[in-house]
Amino acid sequence: MKREETAETTAEEEAASSRPEEQNATQGTESSEAEAFKAEAEEYKRKWYSVTAEYENYRRRTALSKSQAYAEGRADVVKGLFPIADNLERALLSCAEENTRKGIEMVAKAFLKLLEEEKITVIDPLGKEFDAEKHEAIMAVAPEEGEASGLVKQVYLKGYEQNGKILRFAQVVVTK
């Protein structure tokens, strides 16, 4: 029996001695799985931040694009009114009757108020130096005595700009 007891003892000792290894192996597997899950969670978190940032940028771009399109649409409508303003100015120059003149002036003032509300400024370069970025020369005339070359002598059509963007170039007559 001693042999059997010894054999049993040896088997128990081996089992006991192999259990910590199994436990260590199990703990090692569990910790490596935990690390893998943490790494995967971090990857998902990083992707979530990235997608969130991309969406936020997209939202800002579309909001900016919408507001620009809206402003450009409004500017296009006002551009259609420029020829009407030109005709009002011509009517004022040729109008002899006082009441009619006052009526035309009231309409012209309303138009100028509309331009002011839309932050559109009039380009009226009479007597100033010609600027190709704001003016369109439609004719050149010889300068009078003492007059410099390259000055705007006459404004045929006023120009208009909004926030630095030219809506219509001023058509001018320039000295040679």
Side-chain angles (χ1 to χ4, degrees), residues 70-95:
Y70 180 74
E72 288 174 6
R74 288 180 65 101
D76 285 343
V77 170
V78 175
K79 279 183 196 179
L81 299 175
F82 294 158
I84 297 169
D86 297 335
N87 290 333
L88 285 173
E89 287 183 20
R90 289 184 194 108
L92 276 173
L93 293 174
S94 65
C95 186

Side-chain angles (χ1 to χ4, degrees), residues 11 23 29-30 53 81 84-86 107 114 123 125 132 136 138 140-141 158 167 176:
Q23 288 175 351
T29 305
E30 287 176 2
L81 299 175
I84 297 169
D86 297 335
V107 174
L114 170 75
I123 301 172
E136 179 183 349
I138 58 171
V141 294
K158 289 181 182 177
L167 299 178
K176 294 182 189 176

Side-chain angles (χ1 to χ4, degrees), residues 4 14 24 37 41-42 44 51 60 63 80 103 110 125 143 154 157 175:
E4 287 178 14
E14 284 180 18
N24 287 341
F37 287 140
E42 284 298 317
Y44 285 134
V51 168
R60 284 188 197 125
Q154 179 184 359
L157 289 177
T175 56

Side-chain angles (χ1 to χ4, degrees), residues 74 77-82 107-121 162:
R74 288 180 65 101
V77 170
V78 175
K79 279 183 196 179
L81 299 175
F82 294 158
V107 174
K109 285 179 185 178
F111 177 73
L112 291 175
K113 184 179 178 187
L114 170 75
L115 293 180
E116 185 179 308
E117 289 171 359
E118 294 296 320
K119 295 176 179 61
I120 296 174
T121 57
Q162 181 181 37

Side-chain angles (χ1 to χ4, degrees), residues 119-123 134 159-167:
K119 295 176 179 61
I120 296 174
T121 57
V122 176
I123 301 172
K134 292 185 176 187
Y160 298 92
E161 76 178 312
Q162 181 181 37
N163 299 325
K165 180 182 176 188
I166 304 297
L167 299 178

